[in-house]
Amino acid sequence: ATSARRPTRVGGDDAARCDSDPPPRRVTAVGVRILPMPHGPLSVRDFHVLAGTRTGGWRRASPALRTVDTREMQRFALVPPVDACSVRIVFTSNSAAINLEEDGDEGDHVQIHPSLFCLGLFQIEIM
C-alpha cells in the first residue's frame, strides 16, 4: 500500500518540499474577497503570487496585482498557468496605505500609524 506524504518543512520558513505524492497542481487563477473602503482600510490592495517548487523553493507566478473596492470575489488569472506544489499569496499593501499615497502631495511628509502595516481579507480561492 502507498501512503500520501505530507509536505516537509524546509529551512526556517514556511517553504514545503513536494515529494512524489501529491503531484504539483495546475493553478490557473487566484481569487481574493475583501471588505471594501470605507469599511476596510486594512484590506489587502496589492499582492503577488508565488508558486512552490518540488525542491522547496519559491518562484514568482504573477506580476503585481491590485484589488478594487467590491465585496465580490475578485479573480486574477495566472498567465501562463503554473504547476505548483504549494501557493503563497504575498500581500504588499493595504487600502489605507494606497489611499495615503494617492491623496498626499509630493512635498508632504505623512506619519503612518503602525496599524496601517496590517493586512486583511475575507477569503482566498486557488483555481
Side-chain angles (χ1 to χ4, degrees), residues 44-121:
V44 65
R45 184 62 77 197
D46 295 328
F47 67 98
H48 62 271
V49 179
L50 299 178
T53 66
R54 284 188 175 274
T55 60
W58 296 95
R59 72 182 193 292
R60 187 103 180 218
S62 77
L65 303 169
R66 181 171 276 192
T67 61
V68 296
D69 283 324
T70 180
R71 291 182 183 269
E72 303 300 317
M73 178 64 70
Q74 299 174 56
R75 291 181 175 87
F76 301 86
L78 299 182
V79 180
V82 296
D83 294 325
C85 295
S86 52
V87 174
R88 182 178 281 178
I89 311 296
V90 180
F91 305 135
T92 55
S93 68
N94 63 27
S95 296
I98 294 301
N99 286 344
L100 278 175
E101 287 176 12
E102 291 174 352
D103 293 342
D105 291 331
E106 200 170 306
D108 290 346
H109 296 286
V110 178
Q111 183 75 17
I112 297 177
H113 191 275
S115 68
L116 293 182
F117 295 113
C118 298
L119 297 155
L121 55 86

